[in-house]
Amino acid sequence: MGQEATIRSGTTPFISHAHRWLAASLRFTRQRPLGAAGAAIIIIMALAALLADAIAPYDPLATNYAAMFIPPGADHWFGTDAFGRDVLSRILYGSRTALWIGFSSSLFGTTLGAIIGVASAYYGGRIDLVIQRFMDLLLSFPLIVLALVVVAILGSGTTNVILAITVPMIPRAALVVRSSALSLRQTPFVDAARALGFSHRRIIFRHMLPNVMAPYLIMLTAFLGQAILLEASLSFLGLGVAEPQATWGLMLRGAAVEFAEKAPWMAIFPGLAISLSVFAFNLFGDSLRDALDPKLRIS
């Protein structure tokens, strides 16, 4: 009897959570089909990145000078590049690079920005003034310009590219999260935490930060598409990930003007991959914002 109760008490919450997630997903799909379509593209992209070893028809780094500039066909669905490498295989492996850099930089940038924004709103006064002026200084630079400055200082490479994309996202996330955290500073539960003698760090991380998760998730999703586009831009300019690693930006750089007429597929398919992924994240991010914003929520 006790074992049955344990099993029942262990499985029922799991089934209940699964049912709630399924119901929420179906409601999201029904109310926001464009957002669901974006989420489906993101899932397909993630599966392609995870299963690239199994589904890629060729080694993305293997050169074959006897197979240069083969147009799309039965053997090479997306054709080959100037080194005889299969374009489809490089796009599949390039999705790994795009998702890794995009997710890492957007996660770090949004998280750091959220912490700074909440702390700025909580302390207020001179601290808030100094932080916000510094954030305004960073916001005065366009995303690509600030990323170029950081990568020019640190150098190229995956880690440095992640840092270069993270830095421009911090002030944007801090500004949005701070506006939400300002209304929390004078709430009764924050006043009660102060009266109980809790430390500033505990109040910020345990009481205020969890209550700004809605704008945090919206910014995180929105930044993913921007991060993928920034990574491709930096790689195209020769300041991102270096050869021979497969990235969509490098594939576009390899399909420069001299190959535009001879092998247009070298630029078409990587360009479609970048456009589709950014479009999917933007669709999903906009729908997620509408779903989490009570002013825009569909009843």
Side-chain angles (χ1 to χ4, degrees):
M1 187 70 178
Q3 183 179 4
E4 181 181 353
T6 302
I7 294 174
R8 186 163 55 247
S9 63
T11 56
T12 301
F14 174 78
I15 296 175
S16 177
H17 286 309
H19 284 169
R20 282 201 295 268
W21 275 102
L22 181 59
S25 300
L26 291 175
R27 186 168 59 253
F28 182 84
T29 302
R30 184 178 62 256
Q31 295 177 348
R32 297 173 177 84
L34 289 178
I41 295 173
I42 294 170
I43 292 173
I44 293 172
M45 181 181 172
L47 290 175
L50 290 172
L51 303 176
D53 292 330
I55 62 179
Y58 299 93
D59 183 350
L61 305 181
T63 58
N64 182 6
Y65 293 103
M68 293 165 46
F69 302 117
I70 293 179
D75 294 331
H76 299 276
W77 289 3
F78 288 1
T80 60
D81 62 9
F83 298 95
R85 298 174 298 192
D86 183 64
V87 173
L88 173 59
S89 300
R90 291 184 63 77
I91 286 179
L92 292 174
Y93 277 88
S95 63
R96 285 184 174 181
T97 305
L99 283 178
W100 170 246
I101 294 179
F103 183 76
S104 299
S105 57
S106 59
L107 178 63
F108 293 150
T110 308
T111 302
L112 291 173
I115 294 173
I116 293 173
V118 171
S120 178
Y122 173 76
Y123 286 109
R126 184 173 298 178
I127 294 177
D128 182 41
L129 181 63
V130 172
I131 292 176
Q132 290 311 306
R133 296 298 74 76
F134 182 67
M135 294 296 107
D136 290 340
L137 177 63
L138 294 178
L139 282 170
S140 64
F141 296 95
L143 279 170
I144 185 64
V145 172
L146 194 54
L148 284 170
V149 171
V150 175
V151 80
I153 295 172
L154 299 178
S156 59
T158 302
T159 303
N160 292 338
V161 170
I162 292 175
L163 291 175
I165 299 175
T166 297
V167 171
M169 293 181 176
I170 293 175
R172 287 159 176 82
L175 183 64
V176 173
V177 173
R178 174 183 174 272
S179 63
S180 299
L182 282 173
S183 61
L184 297 173
R185 185 173 58 181
Q186 303 300 330
T187 52
F189 68 88
V190 174
D191 291 336
R194 289 197 193 99
L196 290 171
F198 292 157
S199 65
H200 297 314
R201 185 175 63 179
R202 180 186 176 96
I203 295 174
I204 291 172
F205 285 95
R206 294 288 298 274
H207 299 279
M208 294 186 66
L209 200 57
N211 286 283
V212 294
M213 282 296 103
Y216 172 84
L217 291 175
I218 293 170
M219 296 295 291
L220 176 63
T221 308
F223 282 159
L224 276 166
Q226 295 183 26
I228 290 174
L229 188 59
L230 271 176
E231 182 276 324
S233 302
L234 292 173
S235 296
F236 179 80
L237 295 173
L239 297 172
V241 180
E243 286 277 13
Q245 186 173 346
T247 70
W248 297 338
L250 280 177
M251 294 176 70
L252 282 177
R253 190 184 185 204
V257 178
E258 60 265 28
F259 301 132
E261 295 183 2
K262 184 176 183 180
W265 58 86
M266 290 174 57
I268 291 175
F269 293 114
L272 286 175
I274 296 171
S275 302
L276 190 61
S277 61
V278 174
F279 182 62
F281 278 112
N282 287 340
L283 277 180
F284 181 66
D286 290 343
S287 298
L288 184 64
R289 179 203 61 199
D290 296 344
L292 295 178
D293 190 341
K295 298 178 183 178
L296 302 173
R297 190 171 296 162
I298 299 176
S299 58

